[in-house]
Amino acid sequence: MRILHTSDWHIGRSFHGHSTLDALGSVLEALVTQVREHAVDVVIVAGDVFDSAAPSAACYPVLSSTLAALADAGARVVVTSGNHDSAARLGFQSALLRKEITVVTDPRSVGTPVTVDDEHGPVHIYGIPYLEPAIVRHLWDGVELRSQAQTMQHALDLVRADLGERGGRSVVAAHCFAAGVDATPGVEREIRQGGLDVVPLPAFDGPDYVALGHIHGRQQLSDRVRYAGAPVHYSFGEAGKPRGSWLVDLDAEGLADVTWLDLPVPRPLVTLRARLDELLTDERFAGHDEHWVRAEYTDSTPQPDPMRRLQSRFPWCATVVHLPAETQADDGVGYARRVRAARDDAEIVETFLAHVREGEGASEAERALIRDVLDARSVAEANA
């Protein structure tokens, strides 16, 4: 049996104010093509199908058309909900979907598999939706569920108990933060409280393969426990990380092989760092005009209208950050003491400029202007 493991589509997520629906749609079309070309039997989507609990109307056609296309390509599709999804909204029409598509959102279904047969017998696919301990603990009396680690352990115990009766090969799809992974800062919404909600790797013992979602980068915790990551880049912190899915082969004995399938990147991400005038003119930055750009300009002082100026060269510049290459060393003398030590108004102005501009005082032209202004003030006061 051949299984494609994908996750974290985040339909509806924006990228620095820009819609990603068209880009995601093109990538999911490529994923459908891979399913067809590689004769995939089962597609697993391990949570965070939508980016929010209340997705816009434009998000639903992306999901429905992709699921239908996967089924038309000959695949059985199993979808689970993630922490970004509303289980109710994602699952409300599950009973109306084609028989080839199963959406798992009900915690009470944990331990009940979707079974698909091949020439070697049954493969049991256990979908585990995102389980918030405070919401689901009332479902299982007598079981302490105060952390996600405890909740996932209990869910997987239910899977193992059911599998022990059924026998055969098995795959688990779940959405959680497993121990041993590195999150991308600012990307995965935090679902941990200290270290309590990190699920230890031994919790996943038993199934032949565990398809995880929540982490946006491809990660391998063991031969049989992996994250596929998101199919598109949603943060500059993900720049350079491959986008794709895991192609999982099961033979008669269980896990036989896992290979990575790259997905296209509609618009690469790049971070450029230099002085603003260099970013605007230097040839070493040529070729980035069609990339998403994060510009970090290193001038000692903030420059006027940097976004508009940068977008004249990089139309897809999404964010601009001022990061001075050199910062003023703290000599222990506070700003107030410097002002008191100034001998005249010109030195007070010079002290203020140095304070707000990382140690850079007035230029000669600025000093001349300051003198003219102060002289004009003195004349006006004398004639008052």
Side-chain angles (χ1 to χ4, degrees), residues 64-199:
S64 58
S65 63
T66 301
L67 294 181
L70 290 170
D72 289 340
R76 187 77 163 81
V77 184
V78 179
V79 181
T80 64
S81 54
N83 60 300
H84 280 245
D85 297 308
S86 162
R89 284 190 173 90
L90 183 61
F92 85 98
Q93 60 177 350
S94 58
L96 305 177
L97 294 172
R98 295 162 52 169
K99 62 182 179 62
E100 302 95 338
I101 303 169
T102 301
V103 178
V104 182
T105 60
D106 187 351
R108 290 168 296 188
S109 69
V110 171
T112 302
V114 173
T115 299
V116 182
D117 292 302
D118 65 7
E119 65 270 26
H120 302 298
V123 174
H124 307 297
I125 301 168
Y126 294 89
I128 301 177
Y130 173 65
L131 302 175
E132 179 63 45
I135 296 175
V136 303
R137 64 170 63 113
H138 72 280
L139 299 176
W140 294 294
D141 291 335
V143 182
E144 183 179 7
L145 302 177
R146 297 189 176 277
S147 70
Q148 197 176 39
Q150 292 174 323
T151 306
M152 283 296 297
Q153 180 69 56
H154 178 64
L156 286 153
D157 286 344
L158 293 176
V159 168
R160 283 184 282 265
D162 184 83
L163 183 60
E165 295 181 2
R166 295 179 188 271
R169 296 158 294 164
S170 62
V171 174
V172 164
H175 195 87
C176 64
F177 198 109
V181 302
D182 295 319
T184 303
V187 179
E188 296 91 2
R189 184 176 298 163
E190 195 62 63
I191 60 171
R192 295 175 294 168
Q193 295 176 353
L196 295 179
D197 284 353
V198 176
V199 181

Side-chain angles (χ1 to χ4, degrees), residues 333-344 347-348 351:
V333 180
Y335 172 61
R337 290 183 58 186
R338 289 193 179 91
V339 170
R340 289 195 296 269
R343 293 169 295 182
D344 53 32
E347 286 195 3
I348 290 176
T351 298

Side-chain angles (χ1 to χ4, degrees), residues 230-242:
V232 298
H233 293 113
Y234 288 117
S235 164
F236 281 102
E238 301 174 30
K241 295 182 179 179

Side-chain angles (χ1 to χ4, degrees), residues 10-334:
H10 286 278
I11 302 171
R13 188 168 188 141
S14 63
F15 182 79
H16 295 275
H18 299 267
S19 172
T20 62
L21 280 178
D22 289 344
L24 177 61
S26 67
V27 171
L28 292 178
E29 287 177 5
L31 185 143
V32 172
T33 299
Q34 290 178 342
V35 167
R36 185 178 296 108
E37 291 177 346
H38 291 274
V40 171
D41 300 297
V42 179
V43 174
I44 290 175
V45 186
D48 278 357
V49 179
F50 292 119
D51 187 59
S52 72
S56 68
C59 297
Y60 288 95
V62 175
L63 176 60
S64 58
S65 63
T66 301
L67 294 181
L70 290 170
D72 289 340
R76 187 77 163 81
V77 184
V78 179
V79 181
T80 64
S81 54
N83 60 300
H84 280 245
D85 297 308
S86 162
R89 284 190 173 90
L90 183 61
F92 85 98
Q93 60 177 350
S94 58
L96 305 177
L97 294 172
R98 295 162 52 169
K99 62 182 179 62
E100 302 95 338
I101 303 169
T102 301
V103 178
V104 182
T105 60
D106 187 351
R108 290 168 296 188
S109 69
V110 171
T112 302
V114 173
T115 299
V116 182
D117 292 302
D118 65 7
E119 65 270 26
H120 302 298
V123 174
H124 307 297
I125 301 168
Y126 294 89
I128 301 177
Y130 173 65
L131 302 175
E132 179 63 45
I135 296 175
V136 303
R137 64 170 63 113
H138 72 280
L139 299 176
W140 294 294
D141 291 335
V143 182
E144 183 179 7
L145 302 177
R146 297 189 176 277
S147 70
Q148 197 176 39
Q150 292 174 323
T151 306
M152 283 296 297
Q153 180 69 56
H154 178 64
L156 286 153
D157 286 344
L158 293 176
V159 168
R160 283 184 282 265
D162 184 83
L163 183 60
E165 295 181 2
R166 295 179 188 271
R169 296 158 294 164
S170 62
V171 174
V172 164
H175 195 87
C176 64
F177 198 109
V181 302
D182 295 319
T184 303
V187 179
E188 296 91 2
R189 184 176 298 163
E190 195 62 63
I191 60 171
R192 295 175 294 168
Q193 295 176 353
L196 295 179
D197 284 353
V198 176
V199 181
L201 191 57
F204 303 107
D205 288 348
D208 294 291
Y209 183 79
V210 178
L212 294 179
H214 182 58
I215 301 302
H216 281 204
R218 175 185 71 184
Q219 298 203 35
Q220 176 180 339
L221 305 185
S222 73
D223 287 343
R224 36 176 294 283
V225 182
R226 301 173 189 242
Y227 286 95
V232 298
H233 293 113
Y234 288 117
S235 164
F236 281 102
E238 301 174 30
K241 295 182 179 179
R243 304 287 89 171
S245 51
W246 292 111
L247 189 64
V248 182
D249 285 313
L250 301 181
D251 61 15
E253 302 302 321
L255 184 63
D257 189 37
V258 183
T259 56
W260 177 255
L261 295 182
D262 282 308
L263 283 169
V265 177
R267 193 178 303 283
L269 282 68
V270 64
T271 297
L272 307 179
R273 180 178 173 87
R275 292 179 59 84
L276 184 60
D277 58 351
E278 294 178 67
L279 292 172
L280 293 171
T281 60
D282 200 303
E283 283 302 309
R284 74 180 187 273
F285 301 122
H288 295 301
D289 54 309
E290 290 300 319
H291 294 178
W292 287 117
V293 171
R294 170 186 165 91
E296 299 177 349
Y297 72 94
T298 60
D299 303 62
S300 57
T301 60
Q303 300 298 299
D305 205 7
M307 177 63 87
R308 181 189 62 79
R309 295 163 68 187
L310 284 161
Q311 285 182 337
S312 67
R313 184 177 191 188
F314 309 110
W316 299 100
C317 182
T319 183
V320 179
V321 182
H322 178 221
L323 294 176
E326 298 180 2
T327 57
Q328 182 179 11
D330 185 2
D331 59 4
V333 180

